[in-house]
Amino acid sequence: MPTPRKNGSKPARVEVKAPSRSQNFETQPAKGKLGVMIPGMGAVATTFVAGVEAVRKGIAAPIGSLTQMGTVRLGKRTDGRSPKIKEFVSLSTLNDLVFTGWDIFEDDMYAAASKAGVLEKDLLTQVKGRLSSIKPMKAVFDHNYVKKIDGPNVKKGKNKMELAEQLRQDMRDFKKSSGASRLVTIWCASTETFIEPSAAHQSVKALEKGMKENDENIAPSMVYAYASLKEGVPFANGAPNLTVDVPAMLELARENEVPICGKDFKTGQTMMKTVLAPAFKARLLGLSGWYSTNILGNRDGEVLDDPGSFKTKEESKLGALEHILQPQLYPELYGNMYHKVRINYYPPRGDNKEGWDNIDIFGWLGYPMQIKVDFLCRDSILAAPIVLDLVLFLDLAQRTPELRRLGIQEWLSFYFKSPMTAPGLYPEHDLFIQLMKLKNTLRYLKGEELITHLGLEYYD
């Protein structure tokens, strides 16, 4: 039985007919420049853009990027057909990308990257020219939604609808000035304080009324999402904010045929959970408890030091285990598991996050065992290739009518801690099932047979 959506939204279920395996869908070619618009020009955004520039210059490799380094197997194992994904489907190239963004701070991308402290000075110096030219536009910001930071580079307007119109004008101006033929928006800004769906989120009409009346339940990220969808621009939410995961945004995305996806980039600790938990379930090993704590010192850590913002992140990080392990199906193994998540702001650590996990499992005859994981990761280094892949795949979806008319791009769940799904459908969190879903979607688009891994045909 599907698990009810935690956000409480109950829009009408949309039945989608599965396409034929032999169908070769029409995808418009990736001609011209692709404009990448980023709310939040902090550590993740600057690491992403600097990395793209470094790869363009041939001084670094796009490690971690499925679109740049990944392959997709076609046909039988004996066929030996495994082209690179970027050669199999029509993706924009890195040379096609042009960038802009919004931020509450006035630093250009080079200055912002220098302050973030993720990348070495030598590398930044080699891409300084391009980064310095990217200056932030004034942001839509409400201190009530992000209490730990504030900045001067903020738009003013009589209501949220007027702010959305200013964003829409920004998008039009950037498209014209950059010469981009297509745009994508990807949220890389801070985690907003936790909110529940309200009346203002239930329809496009209610949302627009709420924006004109400055409804406090309409967060800044929703203003960006609304502006993007009205402009026909795909939107990805890299934070755990509610943003597009409400009925009004789903309605708008489907009406305008604009791809959306989210929430919350799956980087360090949750990535490990979506690897380990499927292994426990596969081997039918029980789980008594999973305690996770994080030490993080960048702006993200500072924002999450606020209880409201942490609540939003906590909801995102807690959901994976329950959906992977399915305690309702395996009550003896997972019915009494205890799951705790903590995030601690520790400035000396900077962007080099440490995720520590204590896992109490039990096996044959109930005998207990423990696993300890200490992942000293680099948060923005893990996030940057996710941003790149989402930008390119969302653009692919926008150029493919069969995908864009769906609105939610569930096949991109691979990149998120808290994936979006059709109303009433529980999200798939298993990393390997997510990857198979993504690659099978690409095979579908090209009329290739899906890979089931049955394998019996080799022994006939």
Side-chain angles (χ1 to χ4, degrees):
M1 180 179 294
T3 303
R5 289 165 67 87
K6 288 189 173 182
N7 64 18
S9 60
K10 296 181 180 178
R13 181 190 297 272
V14 178
E15 298 293 341
V16 179
K17 185 177 179 182
S20 166
R21 290 185 184 183
S22 62
Q23 177 103 28
N24 190 338
F25 293 135
E26 180 184 353
T27 297
Q28 296 170 352
K31 291 183 178 179
K33 296 179 181 178
L34 175 60
V36 184
M37 304 182 298
I38 312 173
M41 286 172 37
V44 171
T46 56
T47 302
F48 157 60
V49 175
V52 169
E53 293 300 326
V55 175
R56 281 172 169 171
K57 287 178 172 286
I59 57 177
I63 296 171
S65 170
L66 192 64
T67 60
Q68 303 306 300
M69 304 188 79
T71 61
V72 56
R73 188 191 114 196
L74 306 177
K76 296 180 179 180
R77 280 181 277 169
T78 50
D79 291 346
R81 299 165 60 212
S82 293
K84 283 193 172 183
I85 287 173
K86 66 180 181 180
E87 297 166 355
F88 178 58
V89 291
S90 174
L91 297 179
S92 294
T93 70
L94 297 191
N95 288 329
D96 295 333
L97 301 183
V98 288
F99 306 100
T100 193
W102 299 266
D103 203 282
I104 64 173
F105 300 106
E106 297 173 335
D107 295 330
D108 61 51
M109 274 209 166
Y110 175 75
S114 299
K115 290 180 180 178
V118 178
L119 303 175
E120 295 176 353
K121 186 175 181 180
D122 287 348
L123 177 61
L124 284 178
T125 299
Q126 295 182 73
V127 296
K128 181 178 179 179
R130 188 65 64 94
L131 291 186
S132 297
S133 69
I134 305 172
K135 297 177 172 59
M137 296 176 284
K138 289 186 176 181
V140 174
F141 181 74
D142 185 341
H143 187 62
N144 291 318
Y145 277 87
V146 183
K147 297 184 184 302
K148 289 289 184 175
I149 60 173
D150 210 346
N153 201 40
V154 177
K155 292 186 186 298
K156 298 187 186 315
K158 65 181 180 181
N159 57 40
K160 294 176 182 181
M161 180 60 77
E162 186 174 293
L163 294 173
E165 292 299 328
Q166 292 179 37
L167 290 176
R168 294 181 68 180
Q169 190 61 51
D170 287 344
M171 295 173 186
R172 297 179 200 125
D173 291 344
F174 171 64
K175 189 173 184 180
K176 183 177 180 180
S177 64
S178 66
S181 59
R182 306 174 312 284
L183 302 174
V184 171
T185 304
I186 186 158
W187 179 273
C188 293
S190 298
T191 298
E192 296 169 331
T193 196
F194 182 75
I195 59 172
E196 297 273 9
S198 71
H201 303 137
Q202 298 309 307
S203 68
V204 174
K205 183 178 179 181
L207 180 70
E208 291 177 340
K209 180 175 182 289
M211 292 173 69
K212 292 173 183 175
E213 296 175 354
N214 278 326
D215 191 308
E216 64 179 5
N217 294 298
I218 299 174
S221 63
M222 294 177 173
V223 180
Y224 282 96
Y226 173 83
S228 295
L229 297 181
K230 290 293 283 187
E231 287 296 308
V233 176
F235 186 95
N237 177 20
N241 314 326
L242 201 55
T243 315
V244 287
D245 202 6
V246 294
M249 296 296 184
L250 306 189
E251 179 187 341
L252 190 57
R254 290 183 67 89
E255 280 183 357
N256 291 356
E257 295 192 1
V258 187
I260 55 175
C261 60
K263 307 174 288 197
D264 207 3
F265 299 140
K266 179 156 59 180
T267 50
Q269 193 171 64
T270 305
M271 181 183 71
M272 298 303 296
K273 284 183 179 177
T274 60
V275 171
L276 292 173
F280 301 153
K281 183 181 176 183
R283 286 295 309 274
L284 296 174
L285 297 172
L287 177 66
S288 299
W290 197 313
Y291 179 83
S292 301
T293 190
N294 298 264
I295 298 172
L296 180 62
N298 61 11
R299 191 183 298 169
D300 191 34
E302 183 180 7
V303 168
L304 293 174
D305 207 31
D306 171 66
S309 292
F310 171 71
K311 173 67 173 173
T312 307
K313 176 69 75 170
E314 182 182 35
E315 289 288 316
S316 175
K317 291 171 76 72
L318 282 174
L321 288 187
E322 182 180 346
H323 285 111
I324 291 173
L325 298 175
Q326 297 177 292
Q328 73 276 16
L329 298 181
Y330 304 94
E332 304 96 331
L333 299 176
Y334 312 117
N336 295 312
M337 65 177 176
Y338 182 83
H339 188 195
K340 177 69 75 174
V341 174
R342 286 284 178 263
I343 297 176
N344 303 285
Y345 178 48
Y346 182 57
R349 190 56 60 92
D351 199 68
N352 295 339
K353 181 170 75 174
E354 181 170 359
W356 182 84
D357 291 85
N358 174 77
I359 311 164
D360 286 284
I361 64 174
F362 56 91
W364 184 246
L365 307 180
Y367 277 76
M369 295 171 277
Q370 284 192 348
I371 299 172
K372 312 283 188 183
V373 179
D374 190 14
F375 189 8
L376 289 93
C377 65
R378 295 174 182 264
D379 215 36
S380 298
I381 294 297
L382 292 170
I386 290 178
V387 176
L388 174 60
D389 286 355
L390 286 171
V391 164
L392 298 182
F393 279 142
L394 276 178
D395 177 56
L396 173 70
Q398 181 65 18
R399 290 182 283 107
T400 307
E402 287 77 9
L403 289 180
R404 69 169 179 254
R405 65 170 59 114
L406 299 176
I408 296 172
Q409 305 296 307
E410 191 191 342
W411 62 286
L412 297 177
S413 295
F414 178 73
Y415 296 104
F416 296 103
K417 291 187 181 76
S418 184
M420 291 177 62
T421 64
L425 182 66
Y426 73 84
E428 183 58 70
H429 281 275
D430 182 317
L431 186 75
F432 306 104
I433 294 177
Q434 290 175 333
L435 181 60
M436 183 175 292
K437 182 189 295 287
L438 189 157
K439 289 189 176 183
N440 269 340
T441 299
L442 300 180
R443 295 183 184 105
Y444 251 142
L445 296 183
K446 299 294 288 185
E448 294 282 346
E449 287 291 315
L450 303 189
I451 301 298
T452 65
H453 297 288
L454 180 62
L456 295 181
E457 66 274 18
Y458 301 111
Y459 300 92
D460 289 341

